[in-house]
C-alpha cells in the first residue's frame, strides 16, 4: 500500500537536510546524462522531491503539464553556465532536482 507523501515526515526531513545550494558547474555532468530536473520557484523543492520519491505520477504530470517541473533545457543550462549560477538542489535518484533561488518580494 502506498503511503501518503504529505504524511511521510521522516523522508521529508531527510530530503530537507540533504537539500543544498550548489553551483551549476557541479551539476553539469548530471545534466549531460539528462538527470537534472528544473523545479519552478513557485513550488516547494522539498515537496516535489518527496512526491517524486513516492512516485506520485498524478501530481508530477500536472506540474509537468503546467511547465513547473521539466528536464533542464539547453537554454537554461547555457544561462546558468555563463554565470555559474547558485541553485538549490535535491537528489532523488536517479534525478537531481534544481531550483533557482527565490527572489524576495518587497
Amino acid at each position: 500500500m502506498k503511503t501518503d507523501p504529505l504524511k511521510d515526515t521522516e523522508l521529508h526531513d531527510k530530503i530537507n537536510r540533504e537539500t543544498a545550494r550548489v553551483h551549476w558547474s557541479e551539476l553539469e555532468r548530471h545534466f549531460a546524462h539528462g538527470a537534472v530536473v528544473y523545479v519552478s520557484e513557485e513550488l516547494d523543492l522539498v515537496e516535489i522531491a518527496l512526491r517524486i520519491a513516492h512516485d506520485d505520477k498524478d501530481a508530477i504530470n500536472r506540474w509537468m503539464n503546467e511547465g513547473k517541473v521539466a528536464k533542464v533545457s539547453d537554454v537554461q543550462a547555457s544561462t546558468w553556465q555563463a554565470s555559474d549560477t547558485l541553485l538549490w538542489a535535491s537528489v532523488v535518484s536517479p534525478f537531481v532536482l534544481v531550483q533557482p533561488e527565490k527572489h524576495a518580494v518587497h
Side-chain angles (χ1 to χ4, degrees):
M1 180 171 136
K2 278 180 135 178
T3 59
D4 181 349
L6 299 178
K7 294 181 180 176
D8 191 347
T9 56
E10 186 176 325
L11 182 56
H12 178 278
D13 292 347
K14 179 183 184 303
I15 291 169
N16 192 47
R17 283 190 310 272
E18 295 175 357
T19 298
R21 294 170 64 194
V22 296
H23 287 276
W24 175 252
S25 57
E26 297 176 59
L27 301 169
E28 288 178 325
R29 66 185 174 97
H30 300 289
F31 173 73
H33 289 92
V36 183
V37 176
Y38 162 80
V39 176
S40 169
E41 295 93 331
E42 53 190 277
L43 298 176
D44 182 318
L45 180 64
V46 173
E47 180 186 345
I48 304 306
L50 184 63
R51 297 293 186 106
I52 290 173
H54 276 271
D55 200 25
D56 185 348
K57 291 180 178 138
D58 293 337
I60 296 162
N61 284 331
R62 183 178 68 249
W63 291 317
M64 289 177 75
N65 290 334
E66 294 171 354
K68 295 178 181 176
V69 173
K71 286 209 173 184
V72 170
S73 71
D74 291 341
V75 171
Q76 286 171 313
S78 294
T79 302
W80 294 340
Q81 180 184 36
S83 62
D84 198 16
T85 301
L86 194 58
L87 302 160
W88 283 103
S90 182
V91 176
V92 181
S93 188
F95 303 108
V96 179
L97 309 180
V98 297
Q99 183 178 59
E101 291 186 285
K102 296 178 182 182
H103 300 288
V105 177
H106 299 286

